[in-house]
Amino acid sequence: MMEEGRVPLLLLSLLIACVTFRICASDSFFYEPFDDPFDGRWIVSDNDDYKGIWKHSKSEGHDDYGLLISEKARKYAIVKELDKPLSFKDGTVVLQFEVRLQNGLECGGAYLKYLRPQEAGWKPEGFDNDSPYSIMFGPDKCGSTNKVHFIFKHKNPKSGEYVEHHLKYPPSVPSDKLSHVYTAILKPDNELQILIDGEEKKKANFLSAEDFEPALIPAKTIPDPDDKKPEDWDERAKIPDPNAVKPDDWDEIAPMEIEDEEAVKPEGWLDDEPDEIDDPDASKPEDWDDEEDGEWEAPKIDNPKCETAPGCGEWKRPMKKNPAYKGKWHAPLIDNPNYKGIWKPQQIPNPDYFELDKPDFEPIAAIGIEIWTMQDGILFDNILIAGDEKVAESYRETTWKPKFEVEKEKQSAEEAAAGDGLSGFQKKVFDLLYKIGDIPFLDAYKLKIFDLIEKGEKQPNLTIGILVSIVVVIFTIFFRILFGGKKATVNVTQSRVAAETSDNPGSSGEKEDENEKEDGGGGADTDSAAAAPRRRTTRRET
């Protein structure tokens, strides 16, 4: 009787566990934890372009396995067919996977492609960049690109053409080497949510032109491609006044500067003393050969008599602004009586226009990883497709979070042991700067700003200079966009160099300044330098 009583109790316990964690087999459409080797289950592309070697490897510091990119500067392609295609017409779809950039990510991708059925024209053994996908999702960072992609391909019902629609202002890729979990939640009400580590980073609507580029629903009208601007169309808002006449007293050849006739030579000026003199302590080297080395000349030094005098050598009156200077005369501008505005072609109905209530996503028949990367050590794990966001949450809590907490604790311990970790206040400041750098209107400068922030995190001794540079860059961009009416262009690299050289004398920043001077930079200063007596050098001078 006791044994019979234990069976229902065991079944009840299993049921409670299943309900509690929501990880029943029926709750997830697809799940790949990579606990076992992938050979025979995942198909590595035999395309000649993809030479990267995939490995079944443990995550550093864990007993948990994943799919590892093992070599640098390679292309990788691998695919897993689903048991049956997934339709998006049945409700919510959740796409989730983990990535750990164990050696960082300077240039490369770490995203997944959710592929259409093979009837679309591809084979697993030949999987490559051209294999048709329905959705592409995940991290990508290189050059000006630093984003968590979400791209979907949609077939225009009028033209039959498949168009890529990119999420606008996607979140940035975490810059550390910890495990992170990426989640995309596609809801039946057309809402898209992008989560990183369970935290919402982006919310969008598939039908909104503000959220996707190009917009899913085309414009009703388009510019007429056959319309041409008339030859007599005048787009000049202002023109020189044809009736204006140059004033008789306008002198176009008067110089910009003239000698200051009222200037007086300072008292004590030493007219007969040169700025430099031969070094009286220098002597001709014993091994100097006049025939081979030429006539020996003593090196020059600053004339000590000039140090206390107002000046030496021939005195010349300084230049001053010429009050008669007016420059080249130009007729004043007046409103153009023939101005017709900026010409635009007329609008015509868009032959590819259509309306719909929700996207018509292509079914997902396989999951592929097809990337090029300059980094090794990229580890993929716990790939999930589910129909309930709570299921994805339970996976995060049981598979990702324990690993992340261990890695975070280890990282904090290493920073504390090194003695150069960021203080709590500094961490809060950098967290705030990351959020500011993620503002949409700074998107064009996001990567450069993040590079500055990362440098500040890695080199706390430069923190003050880094912070000043970042603040200057952000405010410069903001005020130029707000008041300048033009797109701001800020050389963030120079700001970074300035921050580095503030604590590193003799660094490359000074060398750049020297090069600029040699190239003629500095304007009037260059002329002054050219006019000054040049110090003679000899072969033996050191």
Side-chain angles (χ1 to χ4, degrees), residues 56 70 93 107 128 217-218 250 252-253 272 284 305 354 386 418:
H56 184 240
S70 62
V93 173
C107 189
D128 61 13
I217 300 177
W250 192 285
E252 290 187 326
I253 62 174
D272 299 328
K284 181 178 179 180
K305 296 181 180 179
F354 63 89

Side-chain angles (χ1 to χ4, degrees), residues 16-24 27-28 388 390-392 394-395:
I16 293 174
C18 184
V19 172
T20 302
F21 293 103
R22 304 293 300 277
I23 308 184
C24 298
D27 287 332
S28 59
D388 188 336
K390 291 184 178 180
V391 174
S394 64
Y395 273 96

